[in-house]
Amino acid sequence: MKNAVLVLCFLLVTSLSFGSLSLGLISVAAQTESFSNTPLSGFVGIDVLGIDLRYDFDPLSFGIATPFLVFTLSEDTGVKPSFIIPGIAWYGYVGLKLDLDTFYVRGDIGHTFAFGEQSQLGFSPLRLGVGMNFSPGYYIELNVDPILQKFKETVGKIFDFEIGYRF
């Protein structure tokens, strides 16, 4: 067991020396009726705030994100914030990143999953976007996120904005 932990620690330190780990605050905004097939009268949009942990091993990018706050806007209830326990819902992804000095272009494909019966996730977003590197480790990104299962209905209706730091 000690040897396995030692090998894993060695692989982690080695891979971090060749790649970069980043932590970001992500905001996903969607103008949609519903991701599940539940009809919602007067539903206008949703905004999800979450934490995104990413590992870039140029040009590959791997990450996982979890939400912690959801804002819904509807004609029925107005703006309604809801706290989500981090770790209940997840978005895992793998993608590519092309550095163009200060700016970069990126794309990834992932899948959402959740623990518990109340959460109805299981869709696969395709994120395409641009980013900008600031002083040593800070970055911002803007992505468009169509969902593969409902591509025609979601293209151009879901966006995410992320601000983060690369270690």
Side-chain angles (χ1 to χ4, degrees):
M1 182 66 175
K2 288 182 183 179
N3 289 337
V5 170
L6 184 61
V7 168
L8 287 174
C9 289
F10 176 74
L11 289 173
L12 180 67
V13 169
T14 305
S15 66
L16 286 176
S17 64
F18 293 110
S20 65
L21 190 65
S22 65
L23 184 63
L25 180 65
I26 188 168
S27 174
V28 180
Q31 175 190 354
T32 184
E33 286 74 34
S34 176
F35 289 131
S36 63
N37 291 323
T38 308
L40 299 170
S41 66
F43 189 62
V44 177
I46 188 168
D47 186 28
V48 180
L49 291 178
I51 298 171
D52 185 11
L53 180 65
R54 183 182 306 162
Y55 177 71
D56 290 323
F57 189 73
D58 286 333
L60 295 175
S61 175
F62 307 93
I64 190 159
T66 185
F68 61 86
L69 194 59
V70 175
F71 295 95
T72 56
L73 174 64
S74 102
E75 294 173 352
D76 299 338
T77 61
V79 176
K80 180 182 174 190
S82 303
F83 178 73
I84 297 176
I85 299 170
I88 295 292
W90 293 94
Y91 170 61
Y93 59 91
V94 60
L96 296 171
K97 179 179 143 189
L98 176 63
D99 281 319
L100 306 170
D101 198 21
T102 303
F103 294 94
Y104 58 90
V105 178
R106 65 177 316 277
D108 63 55
I109 186 166
H111 191 72
T112 60
F113 53 96
F115 300 104
E117 296 176 14
Q118 294 86 2
S119 303
Q120 294 195 3
L121 295 178
F123 52 89
S124 300
L126 171 68
R127 295 193 308 176
L128 301 169
V130 296
M132 182 177 177
N133 296 313
F134 285 102
S135 64
Y138 294 98
Y139 66 92
I140 60 170
E141 288 180 3
L142 180 62
N143 297 296
V144 61
D145 309 353
I147 295 173
L148 293 179
Q149 291 88 343
K150 297 182 177 186
F151 192 81
K152 289 183 181 179
E153 294 89 2
T154 59
V155 70
K157 292 186 178 183
I158 305 172
F159 298 93
D160 74 63
F161 176 76
E162 182 170 347
I163 185 166
Y165 184 78
R166 278 190 197 88
F167 299 96

PDB file of all heavy atoms in Angstrom, residues 68-84:
ATOM      1  N   PHE A  68     -22.528  25.484  -6.699  1.00  0.00           N
ATOM      2  CA  PHE A  68     -22.891  25.716  -5.311  1.00  0.00           C
ATOM      3  C   PHE A  68     -24.049  26.696  -5.155  1.00  0.00           C
ATOM      4  O   PHE A  68     -24.595  26.833  -4.066  1.00  0.00           O
ATOM      5  CB  PHE A  68     -21.679  26.172  -4.483  1.00  0.00           C
ATOM      6  CG  PHE A  68     -21.060  27.459  -4.929  1.00  0.00           C
ATOM      7  CD1 PHE A  68     -21.537  28.667  -4.481  1.00  0.00           C
ATOM      8  CD2 PHE A  68     -19.983  27.439  -5.786  1.00  0.00           C
ATOM      9  CE1 PHE A  68     -20.951  29.852  -4.888  1.00  0.00           C
ATOM     10  CE2 PHE A  68     -19.381  28.608  -6.195  1.00  0.00           C
ATOM     11  CZ  PHE A  68     -19.874  29.826  -5.749  1.00  0.00           C
ATOM     12  N   LEU A  69     -24.448  27.383  -6.222  1.00  0.00           N
ATOM     13  CA  LEU A  69     -25.544  28.341  -6.131  1.00  0.00           C
ATOM     14  C   LEU A  69     -26.256  28.424  -7.478  1.00  0.00           C
ATOM     15  O   LEU A  69     -25.604  28.457  -8.515  1.00  0.00           O
ATOM     16  CB  LEU A  69     -24.989  29.724  -5.756  1.00  0.00           C
ATOM     17  CG  LEU A  69     -25.955  30.793  -5.297  1.00  0.00           C
ATOM     18  CD1 LEU A  69     -26.733  30.372  -4.068  1.00  0.00           C
ATOM     19  CD2 LEU A  69     -25.203  32.079  -4.980  1.00  0.00           C
ATOM     20  N   VAL A  70     -27.579  28.435  -7.450  1.00  0.00           N
ATOM     21  CA  VAL A  70     -28.382  28.515  -8.668  1.00  0.00           C
ATOM     22  C   VAL A  70     -29.362  29.666  -8.523  1.00  0.00           C
ATOM     23  O   VAL A  70     -30.035  29.795  -7.499  1.00  0.00           O
ATOM     24  CB  VAL A  70     -29.170  27.207  -8.918  1.00  0.00           C
ATOM     25  CG1 VAL A  70     -30.092  27.356 -10.111  1.00  0.00           C
ATOM     26  CG2 VAL A  70     -28.241  26.046  -9.118  1.00  0.00           C
ATOM     27  N   PHE A  71     -29.424  30.508  -9.546  1.00  0.00           N
ATOM     28  CA  PHE A  71     -30.417  31.579  -9.610  1.00  0.00           C
ATOM     29  C   PHE A  71     -31.370  31.259 -10.750  1.00  0.00           C
ATOM     30  O   PHE A  71     -30.922  31.004 -11.863  1.00  0.00           O
ATOM     31  CB  PHE A  71     -29.762  32.938  -9.893  1.00  0.00           C
ATOM     32  CG  PHE A  71     -28.861  33.426  -8.812  1.00  0.00           C
ATOM     33  CD1 PHE A  71     -27.493  33.181  -8.874  1.00  0.00           C
ATOM     34  CD2 PHE A  71     -29.366  34.127  -7.736  1.00  0.00           C
ATOM     35  CE1 PHE A  71     -26.654  33.633  -7.885  1.00  0.00           C
ATOM     36  CE2 PHE A  71     -28.528  34.588  -6.739  1.00  0.00           C
ATOM     37  CZ  PHE A  71     -27.178  34.340  -6.803  1.00  0.00           C
ATOM     38  N   THR A  72     -32.662  31.266 -10.488  1.00  0.00           N
ATOM     39  CA  THR A  72     -33.640  31.092 -11.559  1.00  0.00           C
ATOM     40  C   THR A  72     -34.443  32.370 -11.698  1.00  0.00           C
ATOM     41  O   THR A  72     -34.721  33.048 -10.714  1.00  0.00           O
ATOM     42  CB  THR A  72     -34.598  29.913 -11.284  1.00  0.00           C
ATOM     43  OG1 THR A  72     -35.227  30.123 -10.018  1.00  0.00           O
ATOM     44  CG2 THR A  72     -33.867  28.602 -11.296  1.00  0.00           C
ATOM     45  N   LEU A  73     -34.783  32.685 -12.907  1.00  0.00           N
ATOM     46  CA  LEU A  73     -35.588  33.858 -13.211  1.00  0.00           C
ATOM     47  C   LEU A  73     -36.831  33.382 -13.940  1.00  0.00           C
ATOM     48  O   LEU A  73     -36.736  32.747 -14.986  1.00  0.00           O
ATOM     49  CB  LEU A  73     -34.805  34.840 -14.085  1.00  0.00           C
ATOM     50  CG  LEU A  73     -35.572  36.053 -14.598  1.00  0.00           C
ATOM     51  CD1 LEU A  73     -36.007  36.943 -13.440  1.00  0.00           C
ATOM     52  CD2 LEU A  73     -34.724  36.842 -15.569  1.00  0.00           C
ATOM     53  N   SER A  74     -37.988  33.656 -13.358  1.00  0.00           N
ATOM     54  CA  SER A  74     -39.224  33.252 -14.003  1.00  0.00           C
ATOM     55  C   SER A  74     -40.282  34.313 -13.769  1.00  0.00           C
ATOM     56  O   SER A  74     -40.191  35.112 -12.846  1.00  0.00           O
ATOM     57  CB  SER A  74     -39.666  31.882 -13.491  1.00  0.00           C
ATOM     58  OG  SER A  74     -40.692  31.966 -12.573  1.00  0.00           O
ATOM     59  N   GLU A  75     -41.279  34.310 -14.628  1.00  0.00           N
ATOM     60  CA  GLU A  75     -42.379  35.251 -14.468  1.00  0.00           C
ATOM     61  C   GLU A  75     -43.212  34.906 -13.236  1.00  0.00           C
ATOM     62  O   GLU A  75     -43.850  35.766 -12.654  1.00  0.00           O
ATOM     63  CB  GLU A  75     -43.257  35.229 -15.720  1.00  0.00           C
ATOM     64  CG  GLU A  75     -42.548  35.752 -16.942  1.00  0.00           C
ATOM     65  CD  GLU A  75     -43.368  35.559 -18.209  1.00  0.00           C
ATOM     66  OE1 GLU A  75     -44.414  34.889 -18.154  1.00  0.00           O
ATOM     67  OE2 GLU A  75     -42.956  36.080 -19.252  1.00  0.00           O
ATOM     68  N   ASP A  76     -43.201  33.634 -12.837  1.00  0.00           N
ATOM     69  CA  ASP A  76     -43.995  33.187 -11.694  1.00  0.00           C
ATOM     70  C   ASP A  76     -43.388  33.611 -10.360  1.00  0.00           C
ATOM     71  O   ASP A  76     -44.081  34.098  -9.478  1.00  0.00           O
ATOM     72  CB  ASP A  76     -44.150  31.668 -11.703  1.00  0.00           C
ATOM     73  CG  ASP A  76     -44.860  31.171 -12.944  1.00  0.00           C
ATOM     74  OD1 ASP A  76     -45.590  31.973 -13.564  1.00  0.00           O
ATOM     75  OD2 ASP A  76     -44.674  29.999 -13.291  1.00  0.00           O
ATOM     76  N   THR A  77     -42.062  33.405 -10.203  1.00  0.00           N
ATOM     77  CA  THR A  77     -41.437  33.618  -8.893  1.00  0.00           C
ATOM     78  C   THR A  77     -40.424  34.750  -8.862  1.00  0.00           C
ATOM     79  O   THR A  77     -39.911  35.067  -7.798  1.00  0.00           O
ATOM     80  CB  THR A  77     -40.732  32.327  -8.444  1.00  0.00           C
ATOM     81  OG1 THR A  77     -39.719  32.001  -9.396  1.00  0.00           O
ATOM     82  CG2 THR A  77     -41.705  31.193  -8.293  1.00  0.00           C
ATOM     83  N   GLY A  78     -40.090  35.346  -9.982  1.00  0.00           N
ATOM     84  CA  GLY A  78     -39.042  36.360 -10.028  1.00  0.00           C
ATOM     85  C   GLY A  78     -37.680  35.697  -9.928  1.00  0.00           C
ATOM     86  O   GLY A  78     -37.488  34.576 -10.371  1.00  0.00           O
ATOM     87  N   VAL A  79     -36.720  36.375  -9.293  1.00  0.00           N
ATOM     88  CA  VAL A  79     -35.387  35.809  -9.115  1.00  0.00           C
ATOM     89  C   VAL A  79     -35.392  34.994  -7.829  1.00  0.00           C
ATOM     90  O   VAL A  79     -35.755  35.490  -6.768  1.00  0.00           O
ATOM     91  CB  VAL A  79     -34.314  36.916  -9.034  1.00  0.00           C
ATOM     92  CG1 VAL A  79     -32.956  36.313  -8.756  1.00  0.00           C
ATOM     93  CG2 VAL A  79     -34.289  37.717 -10.316  1.00  0.00           C
ATOM     94  N   LYS A  80     -34.991  33.751  -7.943  1.00  0.00           N
ATOM     95  CA  LYS A  80     -35.002  32.862  -6.784  1.00  0.00           C
ATOM     96  C   LYS A  80     -33.641  32.180  -6.663  1.00  0.00           C
ATOM     97  O   LYS A  80     -33.294  31.346  -7.495  1.00  0.00           O
ATOM     98  CB  LYS A  80     -36.100  31.819  -6.940  1.00  0.00           C
ATOM     99  CG  LYS A  80     -36.192  30.865  -5.784  1.00  0.00           C
ATOM    100  CD  LYS A  80     -37.281  29.837  -6.037  1.00  0.00           C
ATOM    101  CE  LYS A  80     -37.250  28.804  -4.926  1.00  0.00           C
ATOM    102  NZ  LYS A  80     -38.112  27.680  -5.222  1.00  0.00           N
ATOM    103  N   PRO A  81     -32.842  32.522  -5.624  1.00  0.00           N
ATOM    104  CA  PRO A  81     -31.565  31.838  -5.425  1.00  0.00           C
ATOM    105  C   PRO A  81     -31.777  30.526  -4.664  1.00  0.00           C
ATOM    106  O   PRO A  81     -32.632  30.431  -3.790  1.00  0.00           O
ATOM    107  CB  PRO A  81     -30.753  32.824  -4.601  1.00  0.00           C
ATOM    108  CG  PRO A  81     -31.761  33.638  -3.883  1.00  0.00           C
ATOM    109  CD  PRO A  81     -32.995  33.668  -4.730  1.00  0.00           C
ATOM    110  N   SER A  82     -30.993  29.508  -5.017  1.00  0.00           N
ATOM    111  CA  SER A  82     -31.044  28.219  -4.333  1.00  0.00           C
ATOM    112  C   SER A  82     -29.626  27.740  -4.104  1.00  0.00           C
ATOM    113  O   SER A  82     -28.831  27.685  -5.030  1.00  0.00           O
ATOM    114  CB  SER A  82     -31.785  27.181  -5.173  1.00  0.00           C
ATOM    115  OG  SER A  82     -33.077  27.607  -5.474  1.00  0.00           O
ATOM    116  N   PHE A  83     -29.317  27.393  -2.863  1.00  0.00           N
ATOM    117  CA  PHE A  83     -28.003  26.864  -2.531  1.00  0.00           C
ATOM    118  C   PHE A  83     -27.970  25.377  -2.857  1.00  0.00           C
ATOM    119  O   PHE A  83     -28.919  24.650  -2.582  1.00  0.00           O
ATOM    120  CB  PHE A  83     -27.703  27.083  -1.043  1.00  0.00           C
ATOM    121  CG  PHE A  83     -26.386  26.520  -0.609  1.00  0.00           C
ATOM    122  CD1 PHE A  83     -25.205  27.139  -0.973  1.00  0.00           C
ATOM    123  CD2 PHE A  83     -26.326  25.368   0.149  1.00  0.00           C
ATOM    124  CE1 PHE A  83     -23.989  26.617  -0.593  1.00  0.00           C
ATOM    125  CE2 PHE A  83     -25.116  24.837   0.535  1.00  0.00           C
ATOM    126  CZ  PHE A  83     -23.946  25.463   0.175  1.00  0.00           C
ATOM    127  N   ILE A  84     -26.887  24.923  -3.474  1.00  0.00           N
ATOM    128  CA  ILE A  84     -26.682  23.513  -3.778  1.00  0.00           C
ATOM    129  C   ILE A  84     -25.466  23.060  -2.990  1.00  0.00           C
ATOM    130  O   ILE A  84     -24.434  23.734  -2.997  1.00  0.00           O
ATOM    131  CB  ILE A  84     -26.413  23.295  -5.283  1.00  0.00           C
ATOM    132  CG1 ILE A  84     -27.613  23.710  -6.094  1.00  0.00           C
ATOM    133  CG2 ILE A  84     -26.064  21.856  -5.563  1.00  0.00           C
ATOM    134  CD1 ILE A  84     -27.390  23.605  -7.584  1.00  0.00           C
TER     135      ILE A  84
END
